[in-house]
Amino acid sequence: MANHFDAIVIGAGFSGIYMTYKLREDGFTVKTLEKASGVGGVWNVARYPGAHCDSDSHCYNFMFSEDLYRKWSWSKRFAPQEEILRYLNFAADELDVKKQMQFHTEVTLANWDEDKARWHVLTSEGEEFTATYLISGVGCLSTSNIPNFDGSDNFEGDSYHTGAWPSTPVDLKGKRIGVIGTGSSGVQSIPVIAQEAGELYVFQRTPQYTVPARNRELTEEEIAQLKEDYTDIREKIFASHAGYPFVRSTKSAAGTPEEERLAILEDAWEKGSLSFGTSFNDIAINTESNEIVSEFLRGKIRETVKDPETAKSLLPYYYYTTKRPIIDTNYHETYNKEHVTLVNLKEQPIVGITKNGIQTTEKEYPLDVIVYATGYDAMTGTLLKLNIKGRDGVSLKEKWANGANVETYLGLGVSGFPNFFTITGPQSPSVLTNMPSSIEQHVEWISDCLNYMKKNQIKTIEPTKEAEQQWSKQCMEIANSTLFTKTDSWYTGSNIEGKPRGFLIFLGGLDKYRQICNEIAEKGYEGYELKTTEAIK
């Protein structure tokens, strides 16, 4: 059959590129389907002003190939969107995987055929494919969330979402602009938008802790040294808790003398980056330690923002790190500009969108442009949109009760969905790690699994219900021992109106998770039901 493949991969970001390469190199036929116009995943659409990676560039790339690593040179400590997109195109070309990819193609249905033990896939273009394996590489942050404000269709100006920014230039010069949202994309875009706007209104629901990125150009000497240190960097990433070559502190914030503690925090602040969160070992589990660090960051906001009332509105009081940690460039400084106004939505909520702008309970703000920096339907949003149906026609949406009862095994597979794999799926370390590190671990584990199946003439693999339930219970027990579940965030789904609340990230660390996955494989894929061709017959 012309449209039958050993595997169909959905998505052509980091996950899709590496998975396609591994499958082809292992002798499997593969077709990768991507709804966008090219490779890049979220970096192909999140083109908003100021979009940058928040992992150090030399970590935010493939590490499986020293040759590939050495051929590419990053220009900055934290790469901008356009450079990351160039890198992913470079990697796809070097690995020669684009010929296995089909763009402008959205999966609209994937249905498991029990009799033939294969997946039947339909696309937006009306094409049909079949495959023995279905592998999701859609990621955790690829479905944009626009809150359902009354009257949003009535606005006569221009509207944009940071997660679906046009590929052509957007003219913001001298315009009255409203930005809704102050998560990561808002914090990154607001200072850049302020440079062009005539008037800028920031509509904030929840203030954010931020740490300076300290972004800068890399010198030729630094670039050469990073290439020379490939082996050391790779080993540190593989052995680390979150996929970064950071050295984790062994000190408790609450247990460290005040003078020493302040010196540690000031040093971490000056260095910048996400490594600030590793300054002490108990920030995410000890309320006293968390408050010490949180108050340090609030103090920095008070020092930076000149107007006392504005500064007060910008002070966060949730547990630091329990929302996505954010690094910034001149975010809080932007509020010292005369043409920038903070609108505190806790004091004056948005009533709706009018033809002229945004109406709050207090007043209407006339605008030319509205920017929705309102994030994503994270963790499960894109997977549920794919319309995947497993055994007996049960959809993933039904299986997970539309997100109210999400259970996976290792974040890699789902009971009732044979030969279906999710790269960085729910209940894996995913978004609380350096994503390329987690992606490489998952792709290599899936690759080893498929080779094991081929060698042993195994036709289908599927998690047992018991293993799935036990893994989900373990994930939740670990999460409940931390402060993460005590904060509403997109980690818990609370940013989406009506979405069931949960916590779908394995918090035991990427190092521990890698060990667990390896042990399961070494035990003949313990927790999975494997069937040979004869058993299926």
Side-chain angles (χ1 to χ4, degrees):
M1 184 182 295
N3 277 0
H4 179 78
F5 298 89
D6 292 326
I8 285 189
V9 177
I10 307 173
F14 273 99
S15 298
I17 290 171
Y18 189 28
M19 191 77 252
T20 303
Y21 172 75
K22 285 291 286 180
L23 286 163
R24 189 197 66 208
E25 292 300 290
D26 290 341
F28 293 97
T29 58
V30 54
K31 174 67 76 172
T32 298
L33 306 177
E34 166 60 57
K35 69 178 182 179
S37 59
V39 302
V42 68
W43 296 109
N44 205 14
V45 290
R47 301 166 180 259
Y48 59 87
H52 277 74
C53 177
D54 54 13
S55 295
D56 284 82
S57 298
H58 69 278
C59 307
Y60 200 75
N61 39 225
F62 292 118
M63 297 296 291
F64 68 89
S65 166
E66 183 172 0
D67 179 62
L68 192 67
Y69 179 85
R70 286 180 173 274
K71 282 181 178 178
W72 181 263
S73 299
W74 294 105
S75 67
K76 293 185 176 181
R77 182 183 181 187
F78 299 102
Q81 172 271 332
E82 59 272 18
E83 188 172 9
I84 297 170
L85 187 57
R86 284 199 305 273
Y87 168 76
L88 288 168
N89 273 281
F90 153 81
D93 289 335
E94 284 288 317
L95 300 173
D96 195 25
V97 293
K98 288 182 180 177
K99 63 181 66 172
Q100 279 86 36
M101 296 178 170
Q102 183 170 314
F103 303 112
H104 300 289
T105 304
E106 185 172 5
V107 171
T108 56
L109 173 67
N111 194 48
W112 173 252
D113 185 331
E114 183 75 7
D115 293 334
K116 296 180 179 178
R118 67 187 185 188
W119 286 94
H120 185 215
V121 178
L122 300 179
T123 75
S124 54
E125 302 302 306
E127 289 182 278
E128 299 183 20
F129 299 91
T130 58
T132 306
Y133 307 106
L134 180 67
I135 303 172
S136 167
V138 297
C140 305
L141 299 171
S142 53
T143 296
S144 299
N145 165 50
I146 298 181
N148 188 25
F149 292 119
D150 287 341
S152 56
D153 293 337
N154 298 331
F155 182 56
E156 295 179 352
D158 296 321
S159 298
Y160 306 98
H161 191 285
T162 51
W165 201 265
S167 57
T168 53
V170 174
D171 181 18
L172 301 175
K173 191 71 175 177
K175 294 185 177 180
R176 299 169 300 174
I177 302 170
V179 177
I180 302 175
T182 55
S184 182
S185 63
V187 168
Q188 287 188 342
S189 62
I190 285 164
V192 181
I193 291 172
Q195 294 173 14
E196 293 192 61
E199 298 174 41
L200 175 60
Y201 298 90
V202 177
F203 295 83
Q204 171 196 272
R205 184 176 66 172
T206 305
Q208 301 288 344
Y209 298 105
T210 71
V211 173
R214 310 293 184 199
N215 201 9
R216 58 178 176 77
E217 299 282 338
L218 294 174
T219 66
E220 290 185 9
E221 291 76 16
E222 286 174 319
I223 293 169
Q225 190 62 53
L226 287 170
K227 292 182 179 183
E228 185 65 28
D229 292 344
Y230 165 79
T231 301
D232 182 56
I233 293 169
R234 188 170 187 267
E235 287 176 354
K236 285 180 178 176
I237 285 174
F238 270 49
S240 72
H241 185 78
Y244 297 99
F246 300 153
V247 177
R248 297 182 77 205
S249 173
T250 58
K251 295 177 181 288
S252 160
T256 301
E258 184 176 0
E259 185 176 347
E260 180 186 353
R261 183 171 66 216
L262 183 60
I264 290 171
L265 289 171
E266 287 289 359
D267 182 62
W269 176 266
E270 288 305 314
K271 289 178 180 176
S273 89
L274 294 176
S275 62
F276 181 89
T278 66
S279 302
F280 297 100
N281 66 0
D282 59 350
I283 296 173
I285 58 175
N286 183 310
T287 54
E288 184 182 355
S289 290
N290 192 286
E291 174 57 22
I292 288 167
V293 177
S294 297
E295 180 54 30
F296 173 85
L297 293 172
R298 288 192 288 267
K300 292 297 184 181
I301 296 171
R302 295 186 191 98
E303 289 176 13
T304 302
V305 181
K306 294 176 182 177
D307 178 66
E309 285 304 310
T310 302
K312 184 178 178 181
S313 293
L314 287 165
L315 297 178
Y317 284 94
Y318 60 89
Y319 294 115
Y320 171 62
T321 76
T322 59
K323 288 180 182 283
R324 178 180 176 175
I326 296 174
I327 59 175
D328 79 282
T329 300
N330 298 323
Y331 173 65
H332 286 108
E333 290 84 347
T334 299
Y335 292 99
N336 293 328
K337 297 185 176 184
E338 290 186 5
H339 69 295
V340 177
T341 301
L342 177 69
V343 181
N344 187 340
L345 297 181
K346 294 289 177 67
E347 297 176 354
Q348 48 172 313
I350 293 175
V351 174
I353 310 297
T354 68
K355 68 176 184 178
N356 297 317
I358 295 175
Q359 177 72 52
T360 71
T361 53
E362 287 191 9
K363 61 180 288 190
E364 181 184 44
Y365 293 85
L367 301 168
D368 303 307
V369 177
I370 297 177
V371 175
Y372 293 92
T374 47
Y376 299 89
D377 185 354
M379 311 309 297
T380 59
T382 306
L383 277 172
L384 293 179
K385 280 184 65 178
L386 289 175
N387 197 18
I388 298 171
K389 296 185 178 182
R391 186 177 291 108
D392 300 323
V394 176
S395 70
L396 198 57
K397 185 176 286 189
E398 291 169 326
K399 157 85 174 177
W400 286 348
N402 202 26
N405 186 33
V406 177
E407 291 183 333
T408 75
Y409 187 41
L410 306 174
L412 274 162
V414 183
S415 173
F417 293 76
N419 292 3
F420 174 53
F421 298 89
T422 53
I423 302 172
T424 63
Q427 298 176 333
S428 72
S430 68
V431 294
L432 284 175
T433 67
N434 178 39
M435 285 300 289
S437 303
S438 282
I439 287 167
E440 285 198 18
Q441 185 265 330
H442 262 195
V443 167
E444 289 162 8
W445 192 92
I446 293 169
S447 173
D448 290 343
C449 178
L450 298 189
N451 283 316
Y452 176 89
M453 292 176 69
K454 181 164 63 173
K455 178 182 177 182
N456 293 281
Q457 297 183 315
I458 295 165
K459 188 66 174 176
T460 64
I461 184 169
E462 175 189 352
T464 66
K465 184 64 181 171
E466 294 74 22
E468 184 180 75
Q469 290 174 340
Q470 185 59 38
W471 179 253
S472 299
K473 180 183 177 183
Q474 182 179 343
C475 286
M476 206 62 226
E477 286 175 350
I478 296 172
N480 284 333
S481 70
T482 74
L483 301 176
F484 280 94
T485 54
K486 296 174 173 59
T487 298
D488 287 336
S489 68
W490 62 254
Y491 293 156
T492 64
S494 63
N495 63 317
I496 306 296
E497 186 177 352
K499 184 172 181 176
R501 199 174 186 276
F503 194 86
L504 302 176
I505 308 167
F506 176 75
L507 288 177
L510 184 56
D511 47 353
K512 176 65 174 176
Y513 177 81
R514 186 190 303 275
Q515 179 185 340
I516 292 169
C517 289
N518 289 345
E519 289 174 355
I520 285 169
E522 288 165 4
K523 294 176 182 177
Y525 295 90
E526 183 180 55
Y528 284 92
E529 183 178 6
L530 290 77
K531 292 183 180 179
T532 63
T533 304
E534 290 301 316
I536 291 173
K537 290 178 180 178

